[in-house]
Amino acid sequence: MIPQSRFLPMSREEGEQLGIDQFDIILITGDAYVDHPSFGTSLIGRVLWDAGFSVGIISQPDWKSDADFTRLGVPRLFFVISSGNVDSMVNNFTPNRKRRSDDVYSPGGILKRPDRAVIVYSNKVRQLFPGVPIVLGGIEASLRRFAHYDYWQDRVRQGILADAPADLLAFGMAERQMAEIAHRLNAGDTVRSVRDIRGTAYTMEIAEWRRSPPAGVVEIPGFADVVKDKEVYARAFALHYAEQDPVRGKAVAQPHPKTVIIQNPPAKPLSTKELDHIYELPFSREAHPSYKKPVPALEPVRFSVVSHRGCFGACSFCALTHHQGRIVQSRSRESLVREVTLMTKMPGFKGIVQDVGGPTANMYGMYCDLWNKAGACRDRHCSPACRTLHASHASQCELLTTLRNIPGVKKVFIGSGIRYDLVVADPGQYLGLICDHHVSGHLKVAPEHISPAVTALMNKSPQEVFDRFRREFAHLQEGKTKKQYLVPYFMSGHPGCTVRDMVRLAEYIRDNNLYTEQVQDFTPTPMSVSTCMYYTGLDPFTGKPVHVATGREKQVQRALLQYREPKNRGLVLEGLKTAGRRDLIGSGPQCLAREYTGTMQKRSKTYQKPNR
């Protein structure tokens, strides 16, 4: 076995220096190659190398020519293709469907990633290397594995295996799946025979499906049906959503016009020992030395550590349930201490640990008695009120204190965001501890909205919980000469949200003097509950209609969220009139907008008032 080098090879010359004539596996990615555990290509590459396979990386290839795709030769086993850390359409376009001008995952921020990168790269590889197995991975493939609504084309697209000429798809974080695929193919199995690995999806010819479908598979409505009927689309979504638990989930099949996509049950969660081993592989935490310009996405995370995976919050607008899952998997304190201790000896480390966290920082060490045996509950979401959920912050408090006291460490920050409902449910030292030592001048939290109807559809805590958290935070600021401030994240345009709801949120922001720079206009991304609601106008779990803001109303909703901005005044006026809230127009202290007068008077566009 060849020892791991400082960087995985990106050229034949680098491979030859390690004694490699032919790579076992070649990874193709839409990101720059940054050797850091926050970058999926690096993580998978290191894991495969650790499993005994030589790995080469083709980063951001020019898809308009052959040269980049052929520079490493033919892999002995297979290609792995990923768009990178972000879905290429999310990365390339704004919520208004305007093309972005830069890419933080590219050297110098230069745009190099094609739209629908996984499909583009796969087609090129199949053309150049017919017969060589192709495995898809990463977030773009993972969240497009079934028929899905595509916001950028405003239509339902096929599951990605029906569009990309690939053999397998590894969904989720995929370390275990990728290693098993490599071992199976290395042992002589054909890629078409590898159909039983958890956390993978494959295709089956329609004739074979009709003749001998796999036993125990949940068949959901096919592509032809979900395209024609939004109610059927919502039902299909609810069916496959219910099978995404790694303990109780079943295989899911969805027929397409030319093939059938079959998803095996999700991979089992990694153990603490397995997580520790993966994150302690010898990452250099630097961009490959061939790059002449910095990769912007590296600096905010260079000296950060991942403490856990998974999130039981299950926010409707987040697709983590389909990717990392609801079961929290935490690393050991000892492993994290070793990682941070090693960081203190790295060039460029100035004593600041930028982040210790995961999808939700304060879920570290939390667990449920049922997860290992029964999985996350099918009929309810995890909540601090549940008696089987151990939602104590003790483990994270001990971890943060230990890391803070490592020689060479000056500060340990939390940058991943916290769930304030967990803090409120576990009164104790946690909030005081992080305010004293682990946040700078601002603490970021994400209430998203305060309207009961909207927060219920978002699966977020109600306003009362956020108010209690704000009071506790304010109490901790008493007597401080250097006060800290809450920076809440709010969202406009979420399914179920009307203009009246946004006016109510604007009043809440006004009454509590909240800072609203961090706002988000809801963007439908593949395989989230909210995206299903946006496309169908239905709650997929109840079948009840949901109001959906589009076009002009979506612009008005966002403007109301930032009503203080002078440029938004026209849209804010329009929204207040539509909501029947002319009392908020004028010069009084409670008003959200001034009425136009004289030459300032403009005609505003109108739209039909939404039904409540």
Side-chain angles (χ1 to χ4, degrees), residues 126-147:
R126 182 59 79 219
Q127 172 197 337
L128 295 171
F129 304 98
V132 179
I134 297 175
V135 180
L136 307 183
I139 194 79
E140 181 167 310
S142 183
L143 298 183
R144 294 177 181 267
R145 58 189 185 265
F146 292 115

Side-chain angles (χ1 to χ4, degrees), residues 516-539:
T516 56
E517 180 181 330
Q518 303 293 341
V519 300
Q520 180 181 354
D521 186 19
F522 171 70
T523 305
T525 54
M527 212 171 275
S528 73
V529 176
S530 299
T531 297
C532 180
M533 290 191 282
Y534 178 90
Y535 170 63
T536 65
L538 300 169
D539 182 327

Side-chain angles (χ1 to χ4, degrees), residues 444-517:
K444 298 175 182 178
V445 291
E448 305 296 357
H449 216 287
I450 52 89
S451 170
V454 181
T455 54
L457 288 170
M458 288 179 164
N459 196 32
K460 294 289 289 187
S461 300
Q463 174 192 327
E464 294 76 18
V465 179
F466 181 53
D467 286 341
R468 182 177 168 188
F469 175 79
R470 287 196 306 106
R471 288 194 296 270
E472 292 182 11
F473 180 82
H475 176 70
L476 289 171
Q477 304 308 309
E478 294 176 1
K480 284 188 176 183
T481 54
K482 197 172 183 179
K483 295 186 184 296
Q484 296 164 321
Y485 300 91
L486 282 181
V487 179
Y489 285 72
F490 290 111
M491 183 183 291
S492 64
H494 188 275
C497 182
T498 67
V499 172
R500 288 182 181 178
D501 291 318
M502 289 309 299
V503 172
R504 177 175 177 176
L505 177 55
E507 289 184 285
Y508 182 84
I509 291 168
R510 175 203 65 198
D511 294 343
N512 294 284
N513 197 30
L514 295 175
Y515 182 64
T516 56
E517 180 181 330

Side-chain angles (χ1 to χ4, degrees), residues 2 47 77 126 185 204 206 216 254-255 298 441 465 567 597 608:
I2 301 172
V47 166
L77 296 176
R126 182 59 79 219
L185 297 189
M204 178 180 284
I206 294 174
Q254 185 176 50
L298 171 60
V465 179
K567 64 181 181 180
T597 58
Q608 186 176 0

Side-chain angles (χ1 to χ4, degrees), residues 166-218:
D167 301 286
L168 286 172
L169 184 156
F171 62 91
M173 297 301 285
E175 294 98 345
R176 185 180 284 152
Q177 300 96 293
M178 287 295 186
E180 188 171 351
I181 292 168
H183 283 301
R184 292 276 288 274
L185 297 189
N186 189 55
D189 290 2
T190 64
V191 71
R192 296 301 296 172
S193 70
V194 180
R195 291 180 164 184
D196 58 341
I197 298 176
R198 298 179 70 99
T200 63
Y202 61 94
T203 57
M204 178 180 284
E205 292 183 0
I206 294 174
E208 182 184 0
W209 167 258
R210 289 172 178 167
R211 184 174 64 251
S212 55
V217 174
V218 175

Side-chain angles (χ1 to χ4, degrees), residues 324-602:
Q324 288 193 11
R326 291 166 58 192
I327 296 175
V328 175
Q329 307 141 65
S330 298
R331 292 173 61 189
S332 70
R333 194 189 330 163
E334 294 76 15
S335 173
L336 288 158
V337 167
R338 289 192 295 269
E339 185 177 359
V340 172
T341 300
L342 185 63
M343 282 196 326
T344 64
K345 300 175 174 60
M346 290 184 171
F349 183 74
K350 298 179 180 179
I352 308 298
V353 178
Q354 295 163 302
D355 184 26
V356 179
T360 300
N362 59 327
M363 286 186 187
Y364 173 77
M366 296 185 178
Y367 65 96
C368 173
D369 293 331
L370 301 177
W371 282 346
N372 288 335
K373 294 181 180 179
C377 294
R378 180 189 290 269
D379 60 345
R380 69 195 70 183
H381 292 291
C382 299
S383 137
C386 180
R387 290 180 295 176
T388 61
L389 180 67
H390 296 260
S392 168
H393 289 84
S395 293
Q396 198 193 22
C397 288
E398 293 171 6
L399 171 65
L400 293 171
T401 301
T402 302
L403 297 181
R404 195 172 71 244
N405 291 322
I406 293 174
V409 173
K410 299 176 183 177
K411 289 283 187 181
V412 177
F413 288 122
I414 294 174
S416 300
I418 63 171
R419 287 281 299 219
Y420 56 84
D421 56 336
L422 295 174
V423 177
V424 168
D426 180 32
Q429 62 172 326
Y430 179 73
L431 187 56
L433 177 76
I434 64 171
C435 286
D436 287 343
H437 300 288
H438 302 290
V439 296
S440 55
H442 298 90
L443 176 60
K444 298 175 182 178
V445 291
E448 305 296 357
H449 216 287
I450 52 89
S451 170
V454 181
T455 54
L457 288 170
M458 288 179 164
N459 196 32
K460 294 289 289 187
S461 300
Q463 174 192 327
E464 294 76 18
V465 179
F466 181 53
D467 286 341
R468 182 177 168 188
F469 175 79
R470 287 196 306 106
R471 288 194 296 270
E472 292 182 11
F473 180 82
H475 176 70
L476 289 171
Q477 304 308 309
E478 294 176 1
K480 284 188 176 183
T481 54
K482 197 172 183 179
K483 295 186 184 296
Q484 296 164 321
Y485 300 91
L486 282 181
V487 179
Y489 285 72
F490 290 111
M491 183 183 291
S492 64
H494 188 275
C497 182
T498 67
V499 172
R500 288 182 181 178
D501 291 318
M502 289 309 299
V503 172
R504 177 175 177 176
L505 177 55
E507 289 184 285
Y508 182 84
I509 291 168
R510 175 203 65 198
D511 294 343
N512 294 284
N513 197 30
L514 295 175
Y515 182 64
T516 56
E517 180 181 330
Q518 303 293 341
V519 300
Q520 180 181 354
D521 186 19
F522 171 70
T523 305
T525 54
M527 212 171 275
S528 73
V529 176
S530 299
T531 297
C532 180
M533 290 191 282
Y534 178 90
Y535 170 63
T536 65
L538 300 169
D539 182 327
F541 307 119
T542 66
K544 294 180 179 179
V546 174
H547 173 73
V548 176
T550 58
R552 182 73 174 180
E553 184 190 345
K554 215 166 186 293
Q555 296 176 31
V556 169
Q557 287 203 22
R558 181 178 176 87
L560 283 163
L561 200 51
Q562 294 181 304
Y563 68 89
R564 297 185 181 104
E565 292 287 336
K567 64 181 181 180
N568 291 334
R569 182 169 60 178
L571 289 169
V572 172
L573 278 169
E574 185 177 328
L576 294 174
K577 292 174 182 177
T578 300
R581 294 301 307 274
R582 290 178 177 272
D583 57 302
L584 298 177
I585 301 172
S587 58
Q590 298 297 101
C591 291
L592 301 180
R594 290 177 178 271
E595 179 67 277
Y596 287 109
T597 58
T599 58
M600 294 173 59
Q601 188 71 34
K602 296 181 181 180

